[in-house]
Amino acid sequence: AQKVTQAQTEISVVEKEDVTLDCVYETRDTTYYLFWYKQPPSGELVFLIRRNSFDEQNEISGRYSWNFQKSTSSFNFTITASQVVDSAVYFCALSEANGANSKLTFGKGITLSVRP
Amino acid sequence: NAGVTQTPKFRVLKTGQSMTLLCAQDMNHEYMYWYRQDPGMGLRLIHYSVGEGTTAKGEVPDGYNVSRLKKQNFLLGLESAAPSQTSVYFCASRPWTGRTEAFFGQGTRLTVV
């Protein structure tokens, strides 16, 4: 069975601080996919990034960066120089490869509050 | 582009009433999902479908039924609503290749009184 753990429930930082959101996953598959979604106060779910299990390269997109480490089953998300607009709930998700049991499992989410 | 559309966006039900939530996608996706979101619980999978005519139970299926008679539509039914089903419901779809992200609807806020 697949599982995603986001141990941090709420994080509060002051604007311009860096913050890392942790994600640990469990799966028996060798091929799987990891995702991060953002849910701003308006409620919609916004896709941020996808990573497959064969690609351990870190990725940077502007102030956002992701660190994927298979050895520790982690896919952490760092926001550099946080801004008030980053305040949201962030979800990490896991999907096994395509197939009849291709569920998409989410963690419980991390509520990030960025104070001015 | 419509993407994934959920109907309705808001609804208040009395305990024991029934209703159906409709999810429609225009991207020809094979996989469709229904989640519920409750405070502190994240997104929990209710039911999902890997293709027209097929459905499967997720993590919290009790009290819900689903149908996927057409590829583009995934219906979530509550036969006898209970206050514990007060939640925000999200529908999502994605292609059969698991590597692709899911596309979400705007959500349905359901209150059962």
Side-chain angles (χ1 to χ4, degrees), chain A residues 6-59:
Chain A
Q6 295 181 264
Q8 305 152 309
T9 54
E10 295 184 18
I11 299 175
S12 181
V13 299
V14 176
E15 207 169 19
K16 297 184 182 176
E17 283 186 27
D18 298 347
V19 57
T20 295
L21 311 180
D22 298 333
C23 174
V24 174
Y25 62 92
E26 295 176 30
T27 178
R28 290 177 291 189
D29 273 14
T30 54
T31 302
Y32 52 89
Y33 304 92
L34 296 161
F35 308 85
W36 275 95
Y37 282 83
K38 174 182 179 179
Q39 187 178 42
S42 51
E44 73 275 21
L45 284 150
V46 178
F47 165 73
L48 294 177
I49 191 170
R50 171 185 66 247
R51 175 67 66 219
N52 72 57
S53 54
F54 297 110
D55 182 2
E56 287 195 72
Q57 275 193 325
N58 292 332
E59 180 153 341

Side-chain angles (χ1 to χ4, degrees), chain B residues 47-102:
Chain B
H47 286 279
Y48 64 105
S49 168
V50 300
E52 182 179 319
T54 71
T55 63
K57 293 181 180 179
E59 182 185 353
V60 289
D62 293 343
Y64 305 95
N65 56 75
V66 288
S67 65
R68 184 117 181 253
L69 299 179
K70 293 182 179 180
K71 187 176 184 179
Q72 63 267 34
N73 295 337
F74 194 29
L75 277 63
L76 178 70
L78 287 72
E79 290 187 349
S80 180
S84 60
Q85 294 177 304
T86 294
S87 188
V88 179
Y89 292 85
F90 284 97
C91 175
S93 74
R94 63 180 179 144
W96 70 274
T97 55
R99 63 177 175 266
T100 307
E101 69 273 16

